[in-house]
């Protein structure tokens, strides 16, 4: 079976491509390399011992998409392509809506015209807005996000729900990721942010390897066990296993289905720092700073629906997340 993976050169996409190749899928990657490099996919090919087809191009290029669907027997699409920096999305909302919403709609139109109606979409826990009660189940209401990035995810979910209502032949997974971290156990592929990392885990790893001086902890006065923010960190390899399960389940069901991909357990920023120090043997100096705008105090998943319907659950614990992050970062201090 041939799967088109948009954004397959990126952090999560590259891990998904590896898992797909290992599971004997034929993989076509479409990526414009705006936030990634071709090297990630060369490494994926080496790890898998199999080749993929790479097309450097943009999901907003309708002609290119039509050509891809005409020339390859694509049966499903995993759609990772998009911009993901929350702060940048506040400064450049049009770039985010054009890429994440416009690009997605162009992709779905090309799929519809080619008769390809099986889709796994990278959504986010950000669609729950500023939730009050934890854990978050898929039944929790979605809400306006505090930034255009989050808003773009919510908008694409709405587009896909409308699409599934209008045409019952579509099979769509809306996978709501919590906080993906970690790397493949080989240390060959991982997260490679351009410039200063926006997210906690790569920032910690870059401090440990000596690329950054110290971590700024955003907020020490939340109503949490140690005052710092609590999140549900999920190992990226567990996350992509959830995608392969969703792809299987979509073969036998139609409609648009939301599934949380999280562990069901939250850790604070300081717990993350301590766990990373213990595994790596490196010190991670930090200072307490003001809260970051738009952050919630805590957020973790109720993963029961995915466990029941996808027969999937996260298996890798905090130590493995830290060890794999450190192996990737220390083997590749400057990324790819
Ligand atoms: P990433 O930036 O590493 O990967 C995204 C890939 O898409 C990159 O390789 C980039 O070059 C490519 N891309 C961007 N715009 C494109 C376009 N118009 N055409 C073709 N390719 C394009 O990000 P990631 O962390 O791997 O995230 C993958 C997906 O998961 C994204 O949609 C992201 O919003 C979503 N997501 C990520 C997280 C997270 O914390 N990493 C959490 C929730 C959801
Ligand atoms: C985690 C915790 C921070 C950096 C974001 C997006 C979300 C999503 C994933 C895609 C928080 C604290 C962080 C730092 C810190 N992506 N922190 N110092 O904010 O939960 O989610 O990425 O859909 O949409 O909002 O993840 O890793 O940025 O932060 O103290 O330098 O670490 O305040 O408590 P977040 P994060």
């Amino acid at each position: 079976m041939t799967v088109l993976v948009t954004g397959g050169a990126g952090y999560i996409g590259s891990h998904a491509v590896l898992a797909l190749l290992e599971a004997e899928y034929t993989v076509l990657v479409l990526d414009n390399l705006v936030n990634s490099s071709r090297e990630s996919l060369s490494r994926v090919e080496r790890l898998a011992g199999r080749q993929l087809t790479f097309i450097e191009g943009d999901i907003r290029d309708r002609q290119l998409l039509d050509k891809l669907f005409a020339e390859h027997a694509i049966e499903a699409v995993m759609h990772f392509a998009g911009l993901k920096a929350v702060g940048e999305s506040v400064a450049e909302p049009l770039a985010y809506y054009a890429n994440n919403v416009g690009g997605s709609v162009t992709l779905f139109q090309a799929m519809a015209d080619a008769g390809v109606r099986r889709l796994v979409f990278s959504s986010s826990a950000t669609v729950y807005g500023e939730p009050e009660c934890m854990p978050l189940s898929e039944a929790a209401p979605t809400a306006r996000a505090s930034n255009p990035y989050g808003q773009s995810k919510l908008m694409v979910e709405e587009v896909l729900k409308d699409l599934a209502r209008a045409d019952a032949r579509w099979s769509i997974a809306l996978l709501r990721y919590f906080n993906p971290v970690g790397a493949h156990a080989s240390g060959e592929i991982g997260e490679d942010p351009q410039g200063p990392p926006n997210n906690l885990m790569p920032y910690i790893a870059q401090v440990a390897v000596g690329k950054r001086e110290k971590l700024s902890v955003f907020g020490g006065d939340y109503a949490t066990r140690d005052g710092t923010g609590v999140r549900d960190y999920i190992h990226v390899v567990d996350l992509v296993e959830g995608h392969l399960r969703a792809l299987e389940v979509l073969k036998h069901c139609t409609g648009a289905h939301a599934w949380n991909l999280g562990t069901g357990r939250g850790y604070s920023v300081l717990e993350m720092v301590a766990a990373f120090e213990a595994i790596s043997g490196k010190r991670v100096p930090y200072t307490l700073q003001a809260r970051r705008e738009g952050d919630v105090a805590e957020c973790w998943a109720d993963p029961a629906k995915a466990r029941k319907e996808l027969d999937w659950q996260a298996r890798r614990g905090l130590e493995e997340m830290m060890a794999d992050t450190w192996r990737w970062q220390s083997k590749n201090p400057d990324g790819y």
Side-chain angles (χ1 to χ4, degrees):
M1 177 172 155
T2 302
V3 180
L4 171 65
V5 182
T6 74
Y11 169 44
I12 302 168
S14 58
H15 288 81
V17 171
L18 176 56
L20 286 166
L21 289 174
E22 285 173 343
E24 301 297 328
Y25 286 92
T26 301
V27 180
L28 216 64
V29 172
L30 172 64
D31 199 305
N32 65 3
L33 302 181
V34 68
N35 195 38
S36 53
S37 79
R38 179 70 180 78
E39 173 63 15
S40 62
L41 294 174
S42 302
R43 295 189 185 188
V44 164
E45 285 180 318
R46 276 207 298 280
L47 287 168
R50 291 189 59 211
Q51 307 286 301
L52 53 87
T53 304
F54 175 67
I55 300 103
E56 184 171 344
D58 200 294
I59 54 166
R60 291 166 290 178
D61 183 344
R62 180 63 202 268
Q63 269 188 332
L64 174 62
L65 290 171
D66 288 344
K67 188 165 171 289
L68 288 184
F69 283 110
E71 288 178 356
H72 302 268
I74 297 167
E75 286 180 70
V77 176
M78 274 194 194
H79 177 33
F80 296 98
L83 303 177
K84 64 162 184 178
V86 170
E88 186 183 66
S89 80
V90 176
E92 296 175 44
L94 292 179
Y96 276 69
Y97 289 122
N99 247 282
N100 296 7
V101 183
S104 294
V105 171
T106 303
L107 172 68
F108 307 153
Q109 284 173 323
M111 289 176 69
D113 288 349
V116 178
R117 300 184 200 88
R118 200 178 301 152
L119 171 74
V120 178
F121 172 61
S122 299
S123 188
S124 168
T126 189
V127 300
Y128 295 114
E130 290 190 32
E132 302 268 296
C133 58
M134 292 294 151
L136 279 164
S137 86
E138 294 82 350
T142 57
R144 200 184 189 291
S146 62
N147 58 79
Y149 166 74
Q151 198 57 17
S152 76
K153 290 288 162 192
L154 186 59
M155 287 164 81
V156 174
E157 278 208 5
E158 292 303 322
V159 168
L160 289 172
K161 287 177 191 167
D162 285 340
L163 183 56
R165 271 191 285 268
D167 183 340
R169 293 172 298 177
W170 281 81
S171 302
I172 300 169
L174 309 171
L175 300 184
R176 296 176 176 165
Y177 310 166
F178 281 68
N179 289 61
V181 297
H184 187 260
S186 63
E188 289 295 306
I189 57 171
E191 187 168 10
D192 180 21
Q194 319 287 308
N198 298 305
N199 298 111
L200 178 65
M201 197 69 244
Y203 209 105
I204 290 178
Q206 290 197 5
V207 171
V209 85
K211 285 190 77 172
R212 315 258 158 217
E213 200 188 325
K214 59 173 77 149
L215 172 74
S216 297
V217 175
F218 301 140
D221 56 351
Y222 286 109
T224 58
R225 45 189 175 267
D226 61 18
T228 65
V230 168
R231 296 291 182 276
D232 185 340
Y233 298 93
I234 174 169
H235 196 295
V236 65
V237 176
D238 280 328
L239 187 84
V240 303
E241 285 174 4
H243 288 63
L244 267 70
R245 286 299 308 145
L247 196 58
E248 275 303 309
V249 167
L250 291 184
K251 290 179 186 164
H252 312 290
C253 74
T254 56
H257 307 271
W259 285 296
N260 284 343
L261 297 184
T263 66
R265 207 180 150 173
Y267 290 100
S268 75
V269 175
L270 296 183
E271 287 166 345
M272 294 295 282
V273 170
F276 189 88
E277 288 184 331
I279 289 288
S280 67
K282 297 279 173 189
R283 276 205 58 242
V284 179
Y286 64 84
T287 52
L288 282 178
Q289 305 280 338
R291 293 180 180 191
R292 183 172 67 178
E293 210 182 307
D295 273 357
V296 296
E298 35 185 27
C299 174
W300 70 91
D302 175 351
K305 186 168 183 270
R307 196 184 312 132
K308 182 159 174 269
E309 296 177 2
L310 301 181
D311 188 23
W312 167 90
Q313 61 183 342
R315 295 182 289 127
R316 294 164 179 83
L318 197 59
E319 288 192 357
E320 209 167 335
M321 299 181 208
M322 299 302 169
D324 291 338
T325 301
W326 181 234
R327 192 173 304 105
W328 154 253
Q329 185 70 65
S330 50
K331 270 177 101 169
N332 306 272
D334 298 312
Y336 286 111

